[in-house]
Amino acid sequence: MTLQIVNMIPKSLSGEVGQDSEPNIAVNPEQPNQIVATAFTLDPMNGNHAPVYVSQDAGATWSLRSIVPGGPGTADITVAFGSRGGALYAGILNFTSFNFNVLRATNPFALQPMTLLVDRPDEDQPWVTAMTAHAGADDHDQVYVGHNDFSAQPATASVELSRDARGGAAPAGFKSKVVEGRSTVGQDGPPIRTAAHVDGTVYAAFQRWAKVLPSGGSDLSMDVVVTRDDTHGRGANPFRALTDSKDGKPGVRVAKGRFIRFTASTGPLGQERIGADLAIAVDPSNSDNAWLAWCDRVGGATGTDWTMHVCHSTDRGQTWGNRNLRTVTNAKNPTLAVNATGLVGLMFQQLVGTGTTARWVTHLELTDDAWATAPTSFVLHTANAKEPLRDGLPYLGDYIRLLAVGTDFYGVFSGSNRPATANFPNGVSYQRNADFTAQKLLKTDNTTPVDISIDPFFVRYTP
């Protein structure tokens, strides 16, 4: 077993002090040493293309490629590789227009800008998954971008999909499909998460915002809904394979009437906002097995918790068993992955303690028996929740990500970059100049101190 944690800021950017939060990652399944990651990182030259982080040595070292069009940075951005062919896909909110963009790069390690495939206003939080369906002449990249489409109000939970995204000019087959089948309060929640299997099974999970509660304008009653398609999203009306046994409508309501206090401009959990935590994963060896995680407030309007729940379906999402298979109080950013042997990985961030002793702790858990026994557990990072002071929201980000390729797990999270050995109980490697004895960051001259800030960190676990 090996565990690797790497601060991703390159040595050449040792003076960088940005709030590089909300990270994402993609691993090339054909060549797992090739990895692309993202965060709210600006182009060092303030150009008109935002950077991605790239590694060609399995995450040991990282550099930047400014290939994302739209400005020196992005708003939301997520990425995914197809299973074969090496193409990278991105869903972003454009830094200049805030339009929803879908992008493609045939070689993200080169310097050519990504190709714009979709450009549309009034969308939120794109989430990309991709896979390649067939070998030979029918080798097509299937790409699914969960997104919150305000042009489709009140049923905003949607999936932008293409069944041949690698070939052809814009829009390369991309079309938007609404997956919400019920009434809402005017929109669904920001996260629409997808998980795809090579056999054609595609799951989509979202938050149905069902009711505004009298306790406050940001207090909502929320259902967690899972939909499924069995043919790669083929057909005019996909994601209708699951029907709720209670109301007969498309999509199974895994959790109903859950309380959330959606916070867009405040930080009730440490310095972070809450309200939009969701993850879904499918077992690559058996598409009947799906895993789901979300967060809600168990105590209702008078409660102070923000509780993560994990559950498991073995019948293709129709039933979900114990909704509290794993619970963690004051946790956010759950992300799930399943490796080739069925080992389940769960990564999340938890606020531990209160006041001046509060710390953000990033955890990785691995289980092969659905938490029937204690999981293999690691603290990846722990840091003072008040350092650094936030520079806008999100602070750590509205999501982190964990992937599995073969038996290995690959992930990214963001957190305080103070170089303190105690903050990394399982070790860490820094590229940027850092003095762990004095707990100081240093500029490229390796002498001048640099303020503590938020950095992205890469993690790889090999069973």
Side-chain angles (χ1 to χ4, degrees), residues 3-17:
L3 179 66
Q4 177 188 27
I5 302 169
V6 180
N7 181 299
M8 294 163 55
I9 299 295
K11 188 179 184 68
S12 61
L13 295 181
S14 290
E16 199 266 356
V17 292

Side-chain angles (χ1 to χ4, degrees), residues 255-337:
K256 294 185 288 186
R258 298 302 179 105
F259 181 95
I260 62 171
R261 177 163 288 163
F262 187 80
T263 57
S265 59
T266 59
L269 197 64
Q271 299 188 73
E272 188 59 280
R273 64 189 182 189
I274 60 173
D277 297 294
L278 185 65
I280 191 166
V282 61
D283 186 340
S285 63
N286 184 354
S287 63
D288 291 359
N289 290 325
W291 296 82
L292 181 71
W294 76 92
C295 297
D296 59 40
R297 177 162 285 179
V298 174
T302 61
T304 58
D305 73 295
W306 188 241
T307 299
M308 180 188 73
H309 310 260
V310 180
C311 59
H312 179 208
S313 174
T314 59
D315 60 3
R316 303 182 65 73
Q318 192 63 55
T319 61
W320 288 87
N322 181 6
R323 267 61 164 186
N324 294 309
L325 198 61
R326 177 75 172 106
T327 60
V328 180
T329 302
N330 288 339
K332 73 180 312 289
N333 292 342
T335 177
L336 291 158

